[in-house]
Amino acid sequence: DYQALVNNGALILDVRSKGEYATGHIKGSMNIPVDQLSAQVSKLGDKNKPIITCCASGMRSASAKGILQSKGFNSVHNGGGWMSLQSKLQS
């Protein structure tokens, strides 16, 4: 349940490009493009904090989940496309 994760302090990580993010995103989400994620994982802080990845369709967010897990993050959830994730958070 993504809403419960957010209620418990989960970070929503949007891994689309800066340009895509600028055209619309989930309020309060953080944007780190998937191709820059390995270099910028320090921005995410606590490796025990839940993270929900999202992108346009779910492909890049799945890649991002794998990258984060390989870096030691242990509560990573693939939220898929940001628009469908946003609708799940508002229901």
XYZ file of all heavy atoms in Angstrom:
668
model
N 0.851 -1.189 0.000
C 0.000 0.000 0.000
C 0.892 1.247 0.000
O 1.524 1.583 1.000
C -0.919 -0.033 1.216
C -1.810 1.203 1.302
O -1.842 1.988 0.334
O -2.452 1.370 2.340
N 0.960 1.910 -1.140
C 1.853 3.064 -1.290
C 1.468 4.212 -0.368
O 2.329 4.901 0.167
C 1.883 3.533 -2.747
C 2.448 2.499 -3.685
C 1.666 1.925 -4.675
C 3.777 2.091 -3.581
C 2.189 0.959 -5.533
C 4.302 1.140 -4.431
C 3.512 0.576 -5.400
O 4.029 -0.369 -6.238
N 0.171 4.432 -0.158
C -0.254 5.522 0.719
C 0.242 5.295 2.137
O 0.711 6.224 2.792
C -1.777 5.665 0.703
C -2.271 6.892 1.475
C -1.787 8.211 0.884
O -2.069 8.522 -0.269
N -1.044 8.991 1.654
N 0.168 4.047 2.606
C 0.659 3.733 3.952
C 2.162 3.973 4.046
O 2.653 4.490 5.051
C 0.333 2.283 4.306
N 2.902 3.630 2.992
C 4.347 3.880 2.979
C 4.629 5.377 3.089
O 5.493 5.792 3.861
C 4.974 3.323 1.695
C 5.098 1.806 1.593
C 5.428 1.398 0.162
C 6.151 1.286 2.546
N 3.899 6.177 2.305
C 4.085 7.628 2.339
C 3.725 8.186 3.718
O 4.432 9.020 4.273
C 3.272 8.314 1.217
C 3.277 9.832 1.388
C 3.848 7.945 -0.150
N 2.630 7.677 4.278
C 2.214 8.121 5.614
C 3.289 7.825 6.654
O 3.403 8.519 7.658
C 0.901 7.445 6.026
C -0.281 7.928 5.205
O -0.200 8.910 4.479
N -1.383 7.206 5.297
N 4.080 6.774 6.406
C 5.148 6.388 7.323
C 6.496 6.989 6.936
O 7.542 6.527 7.375
C 5.250 4.852 7.406
C 4.062 4.264 8.136
O 3.588 4.818 9.124
N 3.568 3.143 7.653
N 6.473 8.013 6.074
C 7.683 8.752 5.774
C 8.455 8.305 4.547
O 9.610 8.692 4.370
N 7.846 7.492 3.678
C 8.551 7.044 2.475
C 8.863 8.220 1.559
O 8.085 9.164 1.447
C 7.716 6.016 1.716
N 10.008 8.129 0.897
C 10.424 9.117 -0.099
C 9.943 8.646 -1.467
O 10.132 7.482 -1.817
C 11.947 9.230 -0.098
C 12.562 10.026 -1.252
C 12.291 11.509 -1.058
C 14.046 9.770 -1.348
N 9.334 9.536 -2.232
C 8.981 9.216 -3.614
C 10.114 9.743 -4.483
O 10.416 10.936 -4.479
C 7.633 9.837 -4.013
C 6.519 9.245 -3.139
C 7.361 9.590 -5.504
C 5.169 9.892 -3.326
N 10.764 8.829 -5.191
C 11.919 9.166 -6.025
C 11.531 9.027 -7.492
O 11.263 7.940 -7.971
C 13.088 8.234 -5.698
C 14.356 8.464 -6.522
C 14.948 9.837 -6.224
C 15.378 7.371 -6.234
N 11.481 10.155 -8.177
C 11.139 10.190 -9.601
C 12.440 10.136 -10.388
O 13.286 11.009 -10.244
C 10.371 11.482 -9.901
C 9.708 11.490 -11.267
O 10.355 11.036 -12.232
O 8.571 11.964 -11.372
N 12.615 9.088 -11.196
C 13.894 8.881 -11.883
C 13.842 9.267 -13.363
O 14.692 8.882 -14.148
C 14.405 7.427 -11.707
C 14.696 7.146 -10.238
C 13.424 6.404 -12.260
N 12.845 10.087 -13.738
C 12.791 10.607 -15.106
C 13.803 11.740 -15.270
O 14.380 12.215 -14.296
C 11.374 11.134 -15.411
C 10.316 10.045 -15.404
C 8.914 10.629 -15.595
N 8.586 11.526 -14.494
C 7.794 12.588 -14.600
N 7.244 12.908 -15.758
N 7.540 13.357 -13.555
N 13.992 12.185 -16.499
C 14.910 13.301 -16.764
C 14.371 14.581 -16.116
O 13.179 14.678 -15.803
C 15.055 13.515 -18.271
O 13.852 14.053 -18.796
N 15.266 15.553 -15.955
C 14.855 16.841 -15.372
C 13.737 17.478 -16.203
O 12.797 18.049 -15.664
C 16.045 17.809 -15.314
C 17.193 17.342 -14.435
C 16.914 17.547 -12.971
C 18.123 17.152 -12.122
N 17.720 16.724 -10.781
N 13.845 17.378 -17.533
C 12.828 17.941 -18.419
C 11.474 17.289 -18.243
O 10.441 17.958 -18.193
N 11.466 15.948 -18.143
C 10.201 15.236 -17.930
C 9.592 15.620 -16.580
O 8.392 15.841 -16.465
C 10.440 13.720 -17.942
C 10.713 13.131 -19.300
C 11.066 11.669 -19.190
O 12.180 11.358 -18.724
O 10.214 10.844 -19.544
N 10.436 15.687 -15.567
C 9.980 16.028 -14.218
C 9.345 17.412 -14.201
O 8.327 17.631 -13.552
C 11.171 15.961 -13.254
C 10.829 16.136 -11.796
C 10.255 15.096 -11.063
C 11.110 17.319 -11.124
C 9.973 15.236 -9.707
C 10.829 17.475 -9.771
C 10.257 16.425 -9.072
O 9.972 16.558 -7.733
N 9.935 18.332 -14.965
C 9.443 19.715 -15.009
C 8.043 19.812 -15.611
O 7.298 20.751 -15.309
C 10.408 20.592 -15.792
N 7.662 18.837 -16.433
C 6.338 18.890 -17.057
C 5.235 18.384 -16.133
O 4.065 18.532 -16.440
C 6.294 18.065 -18.371
O 6.503 16.684 -18.062
C 7.337 18.554 -19.351
N 5.597 17.794 -15.009
C 4.609 17.309 -14.045
C 5.205 16.221 -13.189
O 6.010 15.422 -13.663
N 4.841 16.207 -11.905
C 5.371 15.207 -10.976
C 4.509 15.157 -9.717
O 3.645 16.006 -9.526
C 6.832 15.528 -10.614
C 7.017 16.897 -10.047
N 7.331 17.985 -10.834
C 6.900 17.377 -8.784
C 7.415 19.066 -10.062
N 7.146 18.712 -8.823
N 4.772 14.169 -8.891
C 4.051 14.036 -7.626
C 4.609 15.060 -6.642
O 5.825 15.160 -6.450
C 4.190 12.604 -7.068
C 3.543 11.611 -8.037
C 3.555 12.506 -5.671
C 3.766 10.159 -7.683
N 3.715 15.820 -6.048
C 4.113 16.854 -5.080
C 4.951 16.225 -3.967
O 4.596 15.191 -3.415
C 2.844 17.489 -4.491
C 3.140 18.694 -3.633
C 1.858 19.346 -3.131
C 2.181 20.494 -2.208
N 1.162 20.704 -1.200
N 6.087 16.859 -3.702
C 6.951 16.388 -2.628
C 7.953 15.321 -3.046
O 8.754 14.877 -2.225
N 7.909 14.900 -4.315
C 8.843 13.871 -4.765
C 10.226 14.472 -5.014
O 10.373 15.676 -5.202
C 8.328 13.198 -6.046
O 8.215 14.138 -7.103
N 11.233 13.601 -5.005
C 12.601 14.006 -5.317
C 12.918 13.510 -6.726
O 12.500 12.424 -7.102
C 13.580 13.374 -4.318
C 15.041 13.718 -4.597
S 16.184 12.825 -3.503
C 16.077 13.816 -2.031
N 13.652 14.317 -7.487
C 14.008 13.941 -8.857
C 15.509 13.706 -8.966
O 16.307 14.610 -8.760
C 13.556 15.038 -9.835
C 13.965 14.771 -11.271
O 14.495 15.646 -11.945
N 13.722 13.586 -11.765
N 15.875 12.449 -9.252
C 17.253 12.108 -9.614
C 17.136 11.196 -10.836
O 16.647 10.070 -10.717
C 18.009 11.373 -8.484
C 18.059 12.203 -7.198
C 19.431 11.026 -8.953
C 18.712 11.490 -6.017
N 17.525 11.678 -12.026
C 17.434 10.827 -13.221
C 18.177 9.508 -13.018
O 19.229 9.469 -12.371
C 18.081 11.676 -14.311
C 17.885 13.094 -13.840
C 18.020 13.014 -12.336
N 17.609 8.420 -13.535
C 18.156 7.077 -13.291
C 19.624 6.972 -13.705
O 20.409 6.296 -13.042
C 17.276 5.980 -13.947
C 17.387 6.015 -15.464
C 17.630 4.613 -13.407
N 20.020 7.684 -14.753
C 21.416 7.599 -15.196
C 22.383 8.335 -14.268
O 23.600 8.207 -14.407
C 21.567 8.073 -16.650
C 21.144 9.518 -16.860
O 20.503 10.107 -15.963
O 21.448 10.064 -17.935
N 21.862 9.099 -13.320
C 22.702 9.808 -12.340
C 22.559 9.233 -10.933
O 23.221 9.682 -9.996
C 22.315 11.293 -12.311
C 22.554 12.005 -13.632
C 21.925 13.401 -13.649
O 21.712 14.025 -12.623
N 21.609 13.881 -14.849
N 21.706 8.221 -10.802
C 21.342 7.718 -9.474
C 22.536 7.154 -8.703
O 22.719 7.475 -7.529
C 20.235 6.668 -9.603
C 19.595 6.186 -8.313
C 19.049 7.344 -7.487
C 18.478 5.203 -8.625
N 23.358 6.340 -9.350
C 24.503 5.742 -8.650
C 25.407 6.803 -8.040
O 25.917 6.639 -6.933
C 25.307 4.863 -9.601
O 24.572 3.716 -9.934
N 25.602 7.909 -8.777
C 26.483 8.979 -8.309
C 25.836 9.850 -7.239
O 26.538 10.565 -6.523
C 26.907 9.842 -9.494
N 24.506 9.786 -7.126
C 23.810 10.698 -6.212
C 23.056 9.998 -5.081
O 22.234 10.619 -4.418
C 22.834 11.576 -7.013
C 23.548 12.473 -8.019
C 22.623 13.488 -8.660
O 21.635 13.930 -8.078
N 22.928 13.864 -9.891
N 23.355 8.721 -4.838
C 22.628 8.015 -3.772
C 22.806 8.663 -2.402
O 21.923 8.527 -1.557
C 22.988 6.506 -3.677
C 22.424 5.727 -4.824
C 24.466 6.304 -3.523
N 23.895 9.393 -2.201
C 24.120 10.022 -0.894
C 23.018 11.023 -0.554
O 22.747 11.285 0.614
C 25.477 10.715 -0.865
O 25.537 11.725 -1.854
N 22.346 11.568 -1.592
C 21.258 12.528 -1.366
C 20.045 11.874 -0.704
O 19.185 12.563 -0.169
C 20.806 13.144 -2.695
C 21.801 14.095 -3.309
C 21.225 14.728 -4.561
C 22.171 15.754 -5.146
N 21.641 16.369 -6.361
N 19.978 10.550 -0.763
C 18.800 9.847 -0.253
C 18.862 9.580 1.245
O 17.853 9.275 1.851
C 18.605 8.524 -1.016
C 18.408 8.698 -2.518
C 18.389 7.352 -3.214
C 17.132 9.465 -2.815
N 20.054 9.677 1.828
C 20.164 9.539 3.273
C 20.021 8.113 3.780
O 20.615 7.189 3.245
N 19.200 7.944 4.799
C 19.024 6.691 5.534
C 18.652 5.529 4.612
O 17.630 5.558 3.934
C 17.928 6.910 6.587
C 17.704 5.703 7.478
O 18.371 4.672 7.284
O 16.842 5.802 8.369
N 19.464 4.475 4.627
C 19.216 3.311 3.768
C 18.050 2.451 4.263
O 17.624 1.533 3.574
C 20.483 2.469 3.639
C 21.554 3.196 2.850
C 22.748 2.326 2.547
C 23.715 3.078 1.650
N 24.862 2.268 1.270
N 17.558 2.732 5.471
C 16.410 1.983 5.993
C 15.083 2.676 5.716
O 14.026 2.098 5.940
C 16.569 1.756 7.501
C 17.770 0.882 7.794
O 17.956 -0.164 7.173
N 18.611 1.312 8.711
N 15.149 3.928 5.247
C 13.927 4.679 4.957
C 13.276 4.093 3.705
O 13.963 3.834 2.713
C 14.281 6.152 4.722
C 13.086 7.034 4.441
C 13.514 8.489 4.297
C 12.306 9.382 4.101
N 12.660 10.793 4.131
N 11.965 3.881 3.721
C 11.324 3.356 2.513
C 11.381 4.356 1.356
O 11.236 5.561 1.559
C 9.873 3.096 2.935
C 9.716 3.634 4.306
C 11.039 4.064 4.830
N 11.630 3.829 0.165
C 11.698 4.641 -1.048
C 10.773 4.018 -2.084
O 10.783 2.802 -2.286
C 13.137 4.699 -1.605
C 14.065 5.394 -0.597
C 13.168 5.421 -2.958
C 15.522 5.383 -0.996
N 9.962 4.865 -2.719
C 9.096 4.420 -3.820
C 9.641 5.058 -5.097
O 9.685 6.277 -5.203
C 7.632 4.848 -3.611
C 7.099 4.333 -2.268
C 6.758 4.362 -4.773
C 5.769 4.944 -1.849
N 10.092 4.235 -6.034
C 10.609 4.772 -7.296
C 9.467 4.908 -8.300
O 8.520 4.117 -8.288
C 11.698 3.861 -7.888
O 11.159 2.554 -8.134
C 12.897 3.755 -6.958
N 9.545 5.916 -9.156
C 8.571 6.064 -10.233
C 9.240 6.726 -11.433
O 10.291 7.339 -11.312
C 7.332 6.848 -9.785
S 7.624 8.582 -9.357
N 8.625 6.554 -12.604
C 9.138 7.166 -13.836
C 7.944 7.395 -14.753
O 6.858 7.705 -14.279
C 10.215 6.290 -14.469
S 9.631 4.652 -14.949
N 8.115 7.238 -16.046
C 6.997 7.445 -16.964
C 6.155 6.178 -17.106
O 4.935 6.223 -17.044
C 7.501 7.911 -18.320
N 6.821 5.024 -17.269
C 6.082 3.782 -17.538
C 6.326 2.668 -16.531
O 5.530 1.755 -16.417
C 6.463 3.255 -18.923
O 7.820 2.839 -18.902
N 7.432 2.734 -15.824
C 7.772 1.668 -14.877
C 9.079 0.968 -15.204
O 9.606 0.216 -14.393
N 9.638 1.224 -16.395
C 10.901 0.574 -16.780
C 12.090 1.169 -16.013
O 12.868 0.442 -15.410
C 11.146 0.724 -18.283
C 10.134 -0.005 -19.146
S 10.147 -1.795 -18.920
C 11.732 -2.200 -19.642
N 12.223 2.478 -16.038
C 13.347 3.115 -15.343
C 13.225 2.979 -13.834
O 14.233 2.836 -13.141
C 13.471 4.593 -15.743
C 14.027 4.767 -17.153
C 13.997 6.211 -17.603
N 12.624 6.617 -17.911
C 12.280 7.818 -18.336
N 13.182 8.762 -18.497
N 11.026 8.112 -18.612
N 11.987 3.000 -13.324
C 11.826 2.859 -11.873
C 12.238 1.464 -11.423
O 12.768 1.290 -10.330
C 10.400 3.190 -11.436
O 9.458 2.394 -12.106
N 12.035 0.455 -12.281
C 12.487 -0.903 -11.954
C 14.014 -0.953 -11.926
O 14.611 -1.566 -11.026
C 11.937 -1.902 -12.967
N 14.656 -0.293 -12.890
C 16.125 -0.208 -12.905
C 16.628 0.505 -11.655
O 17.598 0.072 -11.029
C 16.609 0.560 -14.132
O 16.252 -0.088 -15.310
N 15.949 1.599 -11.299
C 16.343 2.374 -10.120
C 16.234 1.539 -8.853
O 17.101 1.607 -7.975
C 15.474 3.628 -10.003
N 15.189 0.731 -8.757
C 15.027 -0.137 -7.590
C 16.230 -1.070 -7.469
O 16.787 -1.235 -6.389
C 13.728 -0.948 -7.710
C 13.527 -1.909 -6.554
C 12.235 -2.701 -6.696
C 12.137 -3.714 -5.558
N 10.903 -4.502 -5.626
N 16.648 -1.656 -8.597
C 17.806 -2.542 -8.587
C 19.084 -1.828 -8.175
O 19.887 -2.358 -7.405
N 19.276 -0.611 -8.692
C 20.461 0.184 -8.344
C 20.480 0.450 -6.840
O 21.492 0.240 -6.164
C 20.481 1.522 -9.118
C 20.731 1.270 -10.610
C 21.543 2.471 -8.537
C 20.458 2.489 -11.507
N 19.346 0.889 -6.301
C 19.279 1.214 -4.872
C 19.512 -0.015 -4.010
O 20.220 0.047 -3.002
C 17.936 1.874 -4.536
C 17.744 3.266 -5.137
C 16.327 3.748 -4.897
C 18.748 4.259 -4.588
N 18.922 -1.148 -4.406
C 19.123 -2.373 -3.627
C 20.597 -2.788 -3.650
O 21.140 -3.220 -2.640
C 18.219 -3.489 -4.141
C 16.766 -3.239 -3.773
C 15.811 -4.257 -4.376
O 16.010 -4.739 -5.487
N 14.760 -4.574 -3.647
N 21.259 -2.613 -4.799
C 22.676 -2.974 -4.900
C 23.546 -2.055 -4.050
O 24.657 -2.415 -3.681
C 23.133 -2.954 -6.359
O 23.296 -1.627 -6.824
N 23.031 -0.853 -3.724
C 23.761 0.112 -2.891
C 23.416 -0.045 -1.406
O 23.833 0.758 -0.585
C 23.435 1.544 -3.321
C 23.814 1.858 -4.762
C 25.279 2.134 -4.909
C 25.602 2.555 -6.333
N 27.040 2.674 -6.553
N 22.605 -1.046 -1.084
C 22.317 -1.324 0.320
C 21.009 -0.773 0.861
O 20.735 -0.874 2.056
N 20.184 -0.174 -0.003
C 18.866 0.290 0.453
C 17.957 -0.937 0.569
O 17.892 -1.753 -0.346
C 18.283 1.319 -0.524
C 18.992 2.646 -0.468
C 20.162 2.856 -1.182
C 18.508 3.675 0.323
C 20.843 4.073 -1.118
C 19.181 4.892 0.402
C 20.347 5.085 -0.317
N 17.284 -1.086 1.707
C 16.561 -2.337 1.928
C 15.049 -2.225 1.944
O 14.369 -3.206 2.208
C 17.070 -3.012 3.215
C 16.990 -2.096 4.407
O 16.084 -1.297 4.515
N 17.955 -2.211 5.304
N 14.510 -1.053 1.642
C 13.056 -0.913 1.588
C 12.687 -0.099 0.350
O 12.242 1.039 0.444
C 12.534 -0.245 2.866
O 11.114 -0.143 2.821
N 12.910 -0.698 -0.827
C 12.674 -0.007 -2.086
C 11.479 -0.649 -2.789
O 11.395 -1.866 -2.902
C 13.912 -0.076 -3.011
C 13.687 0.779 -4.256
C 15.166 0.386 -2.279
N 10.553 0.187 -3.255
C 9.328 -0.282 -3.904
C 9.212 0.382 -5.267
O 9.390 1.592 -5.380
C 8.101 0.077 -3.052
C 8.240 -0.370 -1.628
N 7.814 -1.594 -1.194
C 8.815 0.246 -0.561
C 8.100 -1.709 0.103
N 8.711 -0.604 0.503
N 8.905 -0.411 -6.291
C 8.722 0.144 -7.633
C 7.280 0.617 -7.755
O 6.356 -0.192 -7.821
C 9.040 -0.907 -8.698
C 8.915 -0.363 -10.110
O 8.535 0.793 -10.317
N 9.225 -1.186 -11.082
N 7.107 1.946 -7.797
C 5.765 2.510 -7.925
C 5.277 2.576 -9.366
O 4.129 2.920 -9.617
N 6.160 2.255 -10.330
C 5.767 2.266 -11.740
C 5.655 3.680 -12.287
O 6.403 4.570 -11.903
N 4.712 3.873 -13.180
C 4.500 5.188 -13.787
C 4.025 6.204 -12.759
O 3.198 5.891 -11.904
N 4.543 7.412 -12.839
C 4.230 8.419 -11.815
C 2.756 8.799 -11.799
O 2.197 9.057 -10.737
C 5.132 9.644 -11.962
C 4.773 10.602 -13.057
C 5.181 10.537 -14.361
C 3.929 11.748 -12.967
N 4.644 11.574 -15.077
C 3.875 12.341 -14.250
C 3.212 12.351 -11.936
C 3.128 13.482 -14.529
C 2.479 13.489 -12.218
C 2.435 14.042 -13.493
N 2.099 8.807 -12.965
C 0.690 9.212 -12.982
C -0.197 8.165 -12.312
O -1.111 8.500 -11.552
C 0.231 9.490 -14.411
C 0.915 10.722 -14.991
S 0.460 11.046 -16.702
C -0.764 12.311 -16.461
N 0.085 6.889 -12.554
C -0.723 5.863 -11.902
C -0.407 5.810 -10.401
O -1.304 5.596 -9.595
C -0.511 4.479 -12.548
O 0.773 3.986 -12.305
N 0.854 6.047 -10.045
C 1.216 6.098 -8.628
C 0.490 7.259 -7.951
O -0.055 7.094 -6.846
C 2.738 6.249 -8.467
C 3.245 6.403 -7.033
C 2.857 5.218 -6.165
C 4.756 6.603 -7.026
N 0.446 8.405 -8.598
C -0.226 9.564 -8.026
C -1.702 9.262 -7.784
O -2.249 9.621 -6.747
C -0.084 10.764 -8.965
C -0.733 12.032 -8.428
C -0.324 13.258 -9.220
O 0.470 14.066 -8.791
N -0.871 13.385 -10.435
N -2.339 8.564 -8.723
C -3.762 8.238 -8.530
C -3.952 7.255 -7.384
O -4.937 7.324 -6.661
C -4.388 7.715 -9.821
O -3.839 6.471 -10.189
N -2.988 6.348 -7.191
C -3.076 5.403 -6.060
C -2.926 6.141 -4.735
O -3.493 5.739 -3.727
C -1.986 4.327 -6.179
C -2.229 3.342 -7.292
C -1.033 2.417 -7.466
C -1.188 1.607 -8.745
N 0.075 0.987 -9.161
N -2.135 7.216 -4.739
C -1.910 7.969 -3.507
C -3.086 8.862 -3.163
O -3.251 9.272 -2.034
C -0.633 8.817 -3.632
C 0.670 8.043 -3.762
C 1.821 8.991 -4.007
C 0.923 7.193 -2.531
N -3.929 9.160 -4.134
C -5.064 10.047 -3.885
C -6.360 9.299 -3.615
O -7.350 9.883 -3.270
C -5.261 10.978 -5.095
C -4.101 11.958 -5.241
C -4.166 12.745 -6.523
O -4.808 12.348 -7.492
N -3.485 13.868 -6.565
N -6.307 7.974 -3.789
C -7.553 7.207 -3.603
C -7.803 6.883 -2.148
O -6.934 6.963 -1.325
C -7.500 5.927 -4.436
O -6.353 5.175 -4.107
